[in-house]
Amino acid sequence: MNEPKTQGPLYYAQTADQILKEKEVNPETGLKENEVAARISEYGPNKLQEQKRKSIFRIFLAQLNNALIYVLMGAVIITMLMGEYTDGIIISTVIFINAALGVIQEVKAGNAIDALRDMAAPKAVVRRDGHTRELNSEDLVPGDIVLLDAGRYIPADLRLIESANLKIDESALTGESVAVEKDAEYIFSEEYIALGDRKNLAFMGTLITYGRGTGVVTGTGKNTEVGHIAHLLSQDQETRTPLELRLDRLGKMLGIGAIVICVVIFVLSYFQGRNLAEMFLTSVSLAVAAIPEGLAAIVAVVLSIGVTRMAKKKAIIKKLPAVETLGSVNIVCSDKTGTLTQNKMTVNEIFTFTDGVKSLDQAISDEGILLAEAMVLASDATLEDGESTGDPTEIALLQLADDLGIDRNELHAAQPRKDELAFDSDRKMMSTLHEKEGKHLIYVKGALGSIMKHASGIILNGQKQPVTDDHISQLRKAAESMSDKALRTLAVAYKEVDSSIAHADFEKDLVIIGITGMMDPPRDEVKESIALAQQAGITTVMITGDHKNTAFAIARDLGIATDISQATTGGNLSRMSRTELEKSISGYRVFARVSPEHKVKIIKALKSRGNIVSMTGDGVNDAPSLNAADIGVAMGITGTDAAKNASDMILADDNFSTIITAVEQGRNIYNNIKKAVVFLLACNVGEVLVMLAAILGGLPVPLSATQLLWINLVTDTLPAVALGMDPGDKDIMKEKPRTLNENFFSHGAGRRIILAGFLISALTMVAFLLGYHLRGFSAFAADIPEEVHEYARTLAFLTIITCQLFYSFALRSEYKSIFKVGVFSNKYLVGAVIFGLVIQLMVLYIPFMKEAFKLQYLNLNDWLMVLGLGLIPLAANEILKIFTGQKHRIGNA
């Protein structure tokens, strides 16, 4: 398949005649049918190629492709060979549950290219063989002559050859809400022109909002800008999340550790002269003890719980590991329009000669009311009950009138429109003639420069005055003041006439009323969210198709950037090599006038610096960068299907602050997973050390293979899941984001695992040896009755379980005491510990289970000893926290 070609300088830098000649087409007659057939054969239909979906079976196999699952599969084989079929089935079930949870979540993800394909317009008006006809858009070929009018979608990429007041809404492609004025006569000489500035081109999937035109097809299907976006999406390779990488490294480490343990124990046993067949089983049991069989399922369950919690907070997660990745994010890249802003033009300020520049929360004079009325009467948009049609600028003017308490229906009834002179890009003005109480009034709105050229007067304090240089200076200063705040300016004037006049005289001797300054305002909650993100060590970056000055002004207002040097443009990016961009990327906070391809380059450059990057957007133009980011976040209400399908997370409420809430959730979820991992590994280290100590000391084995698997799969699993459901630390957003190379053993976790494991194994060994002593035997003696072995193993079995259950409370927080966190604040953990103790009683006192585990009944003193020993790891950890907590507080001070 050929790589798609995009609209390059070739088309926007050439005249319409040059392109018509290149495409070998007469614009008056269009292509002949035989030429169409040849070009269909050469270029194919005008539609995007479908991408094959993964089968559920392939998705299922992908869930099994990690080192931890391979280790578990090895454990299944070993336990089956040992004859422990029940244990093998249990571990197999764990593997299946883990994979099934991943499949269920992933099948919800859609296909971004499908959504892009649906953007193509179903019909197009085309000139062929001298006749005008309506065709399915997929039948178009390069060289076709397409007729354009308001309300239609552009069916392919076009070079305009005629345009009459043509405006096209390109927001789905560029992200900018203001319709672009098109001009077929315009020729560009610059090397790079931003997509939103190519005024002589029109792009597939964009909407004509005003005027009419004619264009020649320059690109179809994959050779359109939308096709290029689809190509970027299909090119991007799926990257593994930080959690998946950490679990993979852990799985490899555990697998290697299990093999080493098997070999070491087997070699030691050989030199000790033990029964090799028996010691092979023992060493395999020890290897099984080293692997936390329940970890994969626990991680999947914790992530699933996190998904449910986040959905309640309006953040919908599509892939389970993405939940944790959010907690690692240290850069949030965001599209401006519709994400940081409201995607709704709003008048912020007005200028009249009576008021000067005023915001709308200040008192407005009669001239201010006249300005709003004139703007309404000279507009064609509609706005009723929150529903609007027409140009976004005109809709903002109607809203201005509503905000000032003007009854627009009464206004139109009092001054009905009698004639009009439509806007065009040469005059940059629109005029309407109205009748009022037997007189006639003309209202003119448009660019300030155009209106000043045709003005002879101004209105001040209700009186008309001749225009002076001072008045012109006031107008320019007001316009500059508004432009400095990134406001788009629009001027309005009027004139009184005795009767209807010729169009040529509409815009002569105008009386200037004033200027409006408008913008797409930031969302109310965004500034606070960006400040919270900054506190949490997260940098917010704006990536937009809008102009540099406008983008910087919004960024400065939101606290994203402080100096214009932190802003750059797509043109500058095009001139940078990949190495140059990667070196300088950290200095920028605003990227303006960028294309979809630029956005992907920015994301990749940020990732190359070791950052975990989130990208937020809502348009088709955002889809490739959403796909390239570690976490792609799409808007659920205003977002296009392409953006939603390319994302990892969807914001159901389109609220930027929900991202920061999701990051907080992600951090807590990772912490909870880490608690579960540390707990399970501490328990497993304890099991391995007690077995290793016994073998090295020439003692009987303190725990059987069945007992080890019961501890791993049942006793340890419940507290680990409960730790995964911990409410979380309310101070988590005061911490800095995790680095990419951080693992489960960072920040002293590895040391805690070893210390806890050593203490648990020592206490278990104490109980084991006391078992022999209480029955009057030495553990080193020969010919010890089997019931004494069982009694000692019972004490060891119950002691290691109680140590582990009580120790789980210590892992609620690294630095805070269990009493500060709240003993009962995690009711799931309290329940898990109680349930764990109850099922041990069942194992001990239900006859057939007691026989299966080869246990002996205990008396009250035995139980007191077991519980006393079991509380020691928790107590030791709480004492340690007094010192580590103080050190942590000093470090954060």
Side-chain angles (χ1 to χ4, degrees):
M1 188 180 87
N2 293 330
E3 186 169 313
K5 300 172 186 174
T6 60
Q7 296 274 31
L10 177 66
Y11 295 130
Y12 58 65
Q14 289 181 296
T15 65
D17 288 340
Q18 286 175 308
I19 292 170
L20 289 168
K21 185 177 179 181
E22 179 193 318
K23 299 299 179 186
E24 299 177 350
V25 61
N26 181 340
E28 302 302 321
T29 58
L31 294 172
K32 292 183 167 50
E33 288 300 333
N34 61 334
E35 291 172 334
V36 171
R39 294 185 191 198
I40 279 277
S41 176
E42 181 180 354
Y43 296 102
N46 179 32
K47 63 178 184 178
L48 302 184
Q49 292 186 340
E50 295 186 38
Q51 196 177 52
K52 289 183 180 178
R53 290 182 179 275
K54 278 185 186 177
S55 68
I56 290 181
F57 181 67
R58 280 184 63 196
I59 296 172
F60 183 84
L61 290 179
Q63 305 301 316
L64 302 178
N65 186 24
N66 72 68
L68 189 58
I69 297 296
Y70 296 154
V71 171
L72 292 185
M73 288 176 176
V76 170
I77 294 167
I78 291 166
T79 50
M80 290 292 193
L81 290 173
M82 290 167 62
E84 302 289 349
Y85 300 113
T86 304
D87 297 326
I89 291 168
I90 291 170
I91 301 172
S92 300
T93 304
V94 166
I95 295 170
F96 179 80
I97 290 169
N98 176 70
L101 285 168
V103 170
I104 290 165
Q105 202 64 29
E106 195 163 329
V107 292
K108 295 177 183 176
N111 189 304
I113 294 175
D114 286 347
L116 287 166
R117 190 176 63 251
D118 293 340
M119 280 184 62
K123 298 287 182 182
V125 178
V126 180
R127 194 178 287 148
R128 282 183 183 172
D129 267 338
H131 300 289
T132 300
R133 63 188 73 173
E134 191 171 55
L135 303 173
N136 288 325
S137 63
E138 68 179 63
D139 296 329
L140 292 181
V141 295
D144 260 326
I145 303 299
V146 180
L147 307 185
L148 309 171
D149 54 40
R152 286 189 180 274
Y153 282 91
I154 303 293
D157 280 10
L158 311 174
R159 169 57 164 94
L160 297 172
I161 55 178
E162 291 178 11
S163 59
N165 307 322
L166 184 63
K167 292 185 182 181
I168 299 178
D169 177 2
E170 296 180 344
S171 59
L173 196 61
T174 66
E176 298 315 308
S177 53
V178 177
V180 179
E181 292 177 26
K182 295 294 183 178
D183 183 356
E185 301 299 320
Y186 207 92
I187 308 293
F188 291 94
S189 57
E190 293 91 335
E191 183 182 342
Y192 173 79
I193 301 295
L195 201 63
D197 292 332
R198 298 176 192 178
K199 58 172 68 179
N200 55 11
L201 303 182
F203 305 107
M204 176 193 266
T206 58
L207 175 66
I208 304 165
T209 61
Y210 196 83
R212 59 181 179 78
T214 308
V216 57
V217 175
T218 54
T220 58
K222 68 177 184 292
N223 295 323
T224 61
E225 284 295 335
V226 170
H228 183 50
I229 291 173
H231 178 69
L232 288 174
L233 282 168
S234 63
Q235 263 190 330
D236 198 68
Q237 295 181 342
E238 221 171 277
T239 54
R240 305 189 77 182
T241 69
L243 178 64
E244 288 172 323
L245 292 171
R246 289 182 185 114
L247 286 173
D248 202 46
R249 286 196 292 266
L250 179 63
K252 288 173 182 173
M253 186 196 76
L254 291 172
I256 293 167
I259 292 168
V260 168
I261 287 166
C262 274
V263 172
V264 168
I265 297 302
F266 196 72
V267 170
L268 283 173
S269 302
Y270 175 80
F271 285 111
Q272 286 179 344
R274 297 192 183 221
N275 183 302
L276 290 183
E278 181 186 329
M279 289 317 298
F280 173 74
L281 289 176
T282 303
S283 62
V284 167
S285 299
L286 196 55
V288 171
I291 301 166
E293 285 84 1
L295 179 58
I298 288 164
V299 170
V301 168
V302 170
L303 291 176
S304 297
I305 292 164
V307 166
T308 305
R309 282 182 180 174
M310 291 172 84
K312 290 176 182 176
K313 293 178 183 278
K314 307 296 184 184
I316 299 164
I317 301 292
K318 290 169 60 182
K319 291 187 179 180
L320 286 177
V323 181
E324 179 276 334
T325 309
L326 273 164
S328 305
V329 165
N330 67 325
I331 292 184
V332 174
C333 295
S334 179
D335 180 40
K336 177 181 73 68
T337 306
T339 307
L340 296 172
T341 64
Q342 297 174 19
N343 198 16
K344 182 178 73 174
M345 293 300 288
T346 305
V347 176
N348 286 41
E349 294 181 347
I350 64 170
F351 167 82
T352 63
F353 290 97
T354 303
D355 293 316
V357 176
K358 278 194 173 181
S359 59
L360 297 188
D361 56 0
Q362 296 175 287
I364 303 296
S365 68
D366 290 342
E367 274 74 35
I369 300 298
L370 175 63
L371 177 144
E373 290 178 345
M375 289 291 194
V376 169
L377 292 168
S379 295
D380 291 326
T382 66
L383 176 62
E384 297 294 335
D385 301 322
E387 298 292 322
S388 59
T389 61
D391 187 88
T393 299
E394 291 193 347
I395 293 166
L397 296 172
L398 302 187
Q399 187 62 55
L400 167 66
D402 291 351
D403 292 341
L404 294 176
I406 297 169
D407 188 321
R408 291 186 281 114
N409 292 328
E410 282 186 13
L411 181 62
H412 284 295
Q415 299 189 54
R417 186 185 293 189
K418 297 299 181 181
D419 198 1
E420 65 184 77
L421 182 58
F423 175 90
D424 70 46
S425 53
D426 293 327
R427 292 170 26 253
K428 296 189 184 302
M429 292 185 289
M430 172 185 178
S431 303
T432 57
L433 175 69
H434 299 261
E435 186 179 346
K436 180 183 180 184
E437 298 173 355
K439 296 180 181 180
H440 289 81
L441 291 165
I442 292 174
Y443 295 105
V444 183
K445 78 174 189 329
L448 177 60
S450 300
I451 285 182
M452 286 195 299
K453 287 178 188 175
H454 297 85
S456 61
I458 60 100
I459 186 164
L460 173 64
N461 294 322
Q463 301 296 316
K464 285 186 283 185
Q465 298 181 12
V467 68
T468 65
D469 289 344
D470 181 55
H471 294 142
I472 297 298
S473 176
Q474 287 183 55
L475 285 166
R476 284 179 175 152
K477 282 181 181 175
E480 285 171 12
S481 168
M482 291 178 182
S483 295
D484 288 344
K485 300 167 193 167
L487 302 181
R488 300 174 190 265
T489 56
L490 191 67
V492 69
Y494 80 104
K495 67 185 283 188
E496 295 180 3
V497 293
D498 293 331
S499 60
S500 184
I501 59 173
H503 283 180
D505 298 323
F506 265 33
E507 294 161 353
K508 293 178 181 177
D509 299 321
L510 300 176
V511 177
I512 299 176
I513 303 170
I515 310 170
T516 58
M518 63 183 76
M519 72 186 303
D520 179 10
R523 291 172 176 265
D524 296 334
E525 71 283 346
V526 166
K527 192 169 186 175
E528 187 181 337
S529 297
I530 288 170
L532 179 62
Q534 210 166 25
Q535 179 187 326
I538 300 167
T539 301
T540 304
V541 173
M542 179 192 290
I543 304 178
T544 178
D546 207 346
H547 295 278
K548 179 179 173 180
N549 289 343
T550 304
F552 172 69
I554 296 278
R556 183 178 55 194
D557 183 44
L558 291 173
I560 293 172
T562 55
D563 191 87
I564 192 68
S565 63
Q566 294 176 298
T568 190
T569 63
N572 291 335
L573 295 180
S574 293
R575 290 187 284 273
M576 287 186 196
S577 68
R578 188 178 73 178
T579 306
E580 288 172 333
L581 179 59
E582 288 174 358
K583 282 182 181 177
S584 61
I585 193 79
S586 301
Y588 296 118
R589 294 292 177 269
V590 178
F591 297 88
R593 288 327 249 175
V594 293
S595 68
E597 193 166 9
H598 288 140
K599 293 185 180 187
V600 173
K601 284 182 178 177
I602 292 163
I603 297 296
K604 289 184 175 178
L606 287 167
K607 288 172 72 174
S608 74
R609 307 288 295 179
N611 297 301
I612 305 293
V613 183
S614 164
M615 173 68 193
T616 307
D618 60 352
V620 172
N621 60 312
D622 296 316
S625 51
L626 291 174
N627 210 34
D630 293 294
I631 289 287
V633 183
M635 296 299 184
I637 300 171
T638 57
T640 58
D641 285 344
K644 291 175 188 174
N645 290 336
S647 67
D648 301 290
M649 183 173 89
I650 298 169
L651 304 181
D653 58 357
D654 280 16
N655 191 331
F656 183 84
S657 62
T658 303
I659 300 168
I660 307 306
T661 303
V663 168
E664 183 176 358
Q665 287 283 315
R667 288 188 177 190
N668 275 318
I669 286 165
Y670 174 78
N671 276 3
N672 288 351
I673 289 172
K674 185 174 178 179
K675 290 172 193 175
V677 169
V678 170
F679 171 72
L680 289 173
L681 292 181
C683 294
N684 285 26
V685 168
E687 293 159 24
V688 169
L689 288 178
V690 75
M691 294 286 284
L692 197 58
I695 292 167
L696 288 172
L699 294 167
V701 176
L703 298 165
S704 68
T706 304
Q707 290 169 346
L708 285 169
L709 282 167
W710 172 265
I711 294 167
N712 274 13
L713 290 173
V714 181
T715 309
D716 293 350
T717 301
L718 292 171
V721 171
L723 284 168
M725 298 170 72
D726 222 23
D729 186 352
K730 64 179 185 299
D731 296 325
I732 194 77
M733 292 300 276
K734 293 178 183 175
E735 305 283 340
K736 297 299 178 190
R738 294 187 305 282
T739 57
L740 195 60
N741 59 0
E742 183 177 320
N743 58 42
F744 292 119
F745 307 109
S746 301
H747 306 299
R751 185 177 64 251
R752 286 197 303 277
I753 289 169
I754 298 299
L755 290 174
F758 180 79
L759 187 56
I760 289 169
S761 68
L763 293 168
T764 304
M765 183 57 73
V766 166
F768 183 60
L769 294 175
L770 279 173
Y772 288 103
H773 178 72
L774 291 172
R775 291 296 172 95
F777 287 88
S778 166
F780 297 96
D783 301 323
I784 300 172
E786 185 59 30
E787 64 182 38
V788 176
H789 284 308
E790 288 181 0
Y791 173 71
R793 285 196 184 112
T794 302
L795 287 176
F797 178 61
L798 292 173
T799 298
I800 198 168
I801 285 171
T802 52
C803 282
Q804 291 173 358
L805 289 175
F806 292 141
Y807 178 66
S808 64
F809 284 109
L811 290 170
R812 293 283 309 282
S813 172
E814 285 184 40
Y815 308 106
K816 296 176 184 175
S817 163
I818 185 62
F819 300 106
K820 188 172 182 181
V821 174
V823 177
F824 300 104
S825 57
N826 184 344
K827 58 182 182 292
Y828 301 107
L829 184 58
V830 174
V833 170
I834 292 171
F835 183 74
L837 292 170
V838 168
I839 58 173
Q840 303 321 315
L841 290 173
M842 291 169 62
V843 168
L844 188 59
Y845 292 109
I846 294 176
F848 80 89
M849 294 187 76
K850 172 178 164 290
E851 291 302 319
F853 284 87
K854 298 177 181 176
L855 301 174
Q856 293 285 317
Y857 293 121
L858 299 184
N859 59 36
L860 180 60
N861 288 334
D862 294 335
W863 272 110
L864 289 173
M865 180 184 72
V866 165
L867 293 173
L869 292 172
L871 285 167
I872 291 174
L874 173 60
N877 202 274
E878 288 301 296
I879 293 167
L880 191 62
K881 281 182 189 177
I882 295 171
F883 303 101
T884 57
Q886 188 175 8
K887 187 178 177 182
H888 179 70
R889 286 191 294 275
I890 292 169
N892 284 349

